[in-house]
């Protein structure tokens, strides 16, 4: 009988970090199509925050999850609130001869007009008739209200527009929350909430595992309540016991020369059994498995980001045997270290161009 070795799977904490490099599983689905309607003087920061979450979602999976297009509410190019011109990929008339996207988001801004745009209203009503998702960034909810899409619903928008919305649209409930999602309507009040709104949407469409992986990339520099600015580390989670966080920091500081569990007991001052319980109860894994995953993740970063030899990378990651390193890498990522490096180089050569052309205002 031939023995077939089971592929290793990362435990929860390390899975998000490594998700973009894991082999695809299951049947590939068509990407969700997202359309951004850019109004004159739209908020560039809110728009890019929203787009960034979609681009990052594609980066954390081996197959694209989203496609996005930009549309001018009137004519292209559109001037953002920063005075930067955006060459949109289409105008609203495009929907006369092509299907609407799965999600249509209206990008507003501090100086965007609050007046009704008849063609935009028509398109939004059409999207509603097809039960598609619609959203608004900053004061993009006003366009939804003009189309009657927010009647008897709550919405979020920039505080500067609350009075106008309450006065002009008495059927709409203006919320003090920065993000509101009700049914097919998703609205947010500013740049930070734009990203959170998109993360919420992505979670609903693709699952919470995707949003955790996106946060792993985009939340590395969050400022703490004390004002400290430091790159987030695996052991920084305040919800974890201090002993466990200390052990995780020790492991992270000793990648090249791993320390055994018995040495950890001496450094931390608790028993081996206590250490094992900490990892099992809070990380659902064992100390040894977590340490191996930490080291193989370190090796993956060196392998794909440097020109170091595979031998040196194996040694720098605490593997005394090249064959052991190669086997472990293949167990987790489905390919050998040399094949992974070749794939990364091929991918870099075939990087697609940006989807949106941005030109400075003349």
């Amino acid at each position: 009988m031939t023995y077939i070795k089971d592929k290793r799977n990362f435990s929860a904490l390390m899975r998000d970090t490594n998700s973009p490099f894991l082999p695809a599983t299951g049947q590939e689905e068509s990407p969700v199509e997202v359309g951004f309607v850019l109004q004159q003087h739209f908020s560039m920061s809110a728009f890019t925050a929203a787009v960034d979450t979609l681009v990052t979602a594609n980066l954390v999976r081996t197959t694209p999850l989203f496609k996005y297009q930009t549309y001018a509410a009137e004519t292209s190019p559109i001037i953002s609130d920063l005075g930067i011109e955006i060459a949109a990929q289409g105008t609203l008339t495009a929907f006369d001869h092509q299907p609407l996207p799965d999600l249509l988001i209206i990008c507003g801004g501090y100086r965007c007009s609050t007046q009704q745009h008849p063609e935009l209203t028509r398109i939004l009503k059409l999207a509603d008739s097809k039960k598609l998702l619609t959203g608004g960034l900053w004061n993009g909810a006003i366009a939804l209200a003009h189309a009657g899409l927010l009647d008897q619903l709550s919405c979020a928008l920039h505080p500067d527009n609350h009075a106008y919305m309450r006065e002009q649209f008495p059927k709409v409930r203006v919320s003090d929350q920065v993000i509101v999602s009700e049914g097919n309507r998703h609205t947010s009040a500013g740049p930070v909430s734009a990203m959170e709104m998109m993360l919420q949407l992505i979670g609903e469409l693709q699952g919470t595992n995707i949003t955790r992986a996106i946060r792993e990339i985009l939340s590395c520099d969050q400022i703490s309540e004390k004002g400290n600015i430091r790159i987030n580390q695996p052991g920084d989670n305040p919800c974890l016991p201090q002993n466990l966080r200390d052990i995780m920091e020790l492991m992270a500081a000793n990648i090249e020369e791993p320390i055994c569990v018995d040495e950890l007991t001496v450094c931390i001052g608790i028993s081996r059994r206590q250490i094992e319980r900490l990892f099992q109860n809070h990380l659902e894994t064992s100390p040894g498995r977590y340490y191996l995953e930490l080291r193989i993740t370190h090796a993956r970063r060196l392998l794909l980001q440097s020109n170091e030899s595979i031998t040196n990378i194996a040694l720098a990651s605490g593997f005394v045997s090249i064959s052991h390193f190669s086997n472990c890498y293949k167990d987790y990522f489905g390919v050998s270290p040399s094949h992974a490096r070749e794939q990364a180089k091929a991918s870099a050569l075939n990087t697609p161009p940006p989807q949106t052309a941005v030109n400075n205002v003349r």
Side-chain angles (χ1 to χ4, degrees), residues 128 132 134 144 149-150 153 180-187:
D128 183 49
L132 299 175
T134 52
L144 301 180
L149 272 58
L150 293 177
L153 295 177
V180 174
S181 296
E182 285 194 18
N184 289 341
R185 312 288 176 257
H186 302 268
T187 50

Side-chain angles (χ1 to χ4, degrees), residues 8-27:
R8 300 192 198 204
N9 294 309
F10 282 98
S11 53
L13 187 64
M14 302 304 295
R15 188 183 305 123
D16 296 338
T17 297
N18 291 290
S19 62
F21 310 95
L22 301 179
T25 57
Q27 186 176 0

Side-chain angles (χ1 to χ4, degrees), residues 55 58-59 64 66 68 346-356:
V55 173
N58 288 342
L59 293 176
F66 295 93
Y68 80 89
S347 177
L349 292 174
N350 294 314
T351 301
Q355 288 181 288
T356 302

